[in-house]
Amino acid sequence: IQWAPVDPTYITSFAWTPSNVATARINGFESSIATEVMGWQVNTAITFLDPRNRSNGNVLNLRAKRTINIDLSHDYGVIDVGVTWLAQSSRFDDPANTAEIGGYGIVNVRAGYELNDEVKLNLKVNNLFDNNYHTGIHTQLGKYQTEGTGAFLSVVYTPAL
């Protein structure tokens, strides 16, 4: 799908319309592995893609060719902790492959504490190092901003049935 402004002469237009490419081909390889190392659960996933517009041979826009995700977690009884690292390679913002967006990596951390059998507190911090990254630039007003560092606290209540 390629997005284009409904009225390209109106620079601040927020109305965009999708259109399909004539034919696309996405070849690739995905793999994941999960194991335990010294009490830590380790989950790793890796993706290699070659997403192509078959009409012109260009890379399909907004698709990273390489992605890796590594998640580590450990349970210490009433406390559990974890960290996730996600990295993606560069991608093209436009169908013509003239505007490249750099790759990025982010780290997310989390912890949980079981108050009792029914109540758990969770704390999650996304984009721990406040990485300024973009997954698309294609707005008329500039870059599509992604979330900076965000902290989330939740209370999970699971009543015994």
Side-chain angles (χ1 to χ4, degrees), residues 30-31 43-48 64-72 82-91 102-110 125-135 146-147:
E30 291 184 306
S31 181
N43 295 292
T44 303
I46 190 164
T47 302
F48 296 97
K65 287 186 167 187
R66 294 174 306 281
T67 300
I68 188 167
N69 187 35
I70 299 173
D71 183 82
L72 305 171
V83 61
T84 302
W85 175 61
L86 168 68
Q88 291 196 332
S89 65
S90 63
R91 65 193 77 211
Y104 68 92
I106 58 172
V107 175
N108 304 323
V109 294
R110 64 191 179 279
V125 179
N126 289 340
N127 195 1
L128 180 65
F129 301 111
D130 199 24
N131 189 356
N132 185 15
Y133 67 99
H134 306 283
T135 58
T146 50
E147 177 181 23

Side-chain angles (χ1 to χ4, degrees), residues 75-81 110-123 153-156:
D75 189 342
Y76 294 98
V78 297
I79 297 174
D80 60 83
V81 295
R110 64 191 179 279
Y113 178 71
E114 291 182 19
L115 294 173
N116 57 46
D117 290 342
E118 296 181 335
V119 180
K120 182 177 181 182
L121 298 176
N122 290 317
L123 175 64
L153 178 65
S154 63
V155 178
V156 178

Side-chain angles (χ1 to χ4, degrees), residues 5-16:
V6 172
D7 182 2
T9 61
Y10 185 56
I11 193 161
T12 58
S13 174
F14 291 101
W16 291 67

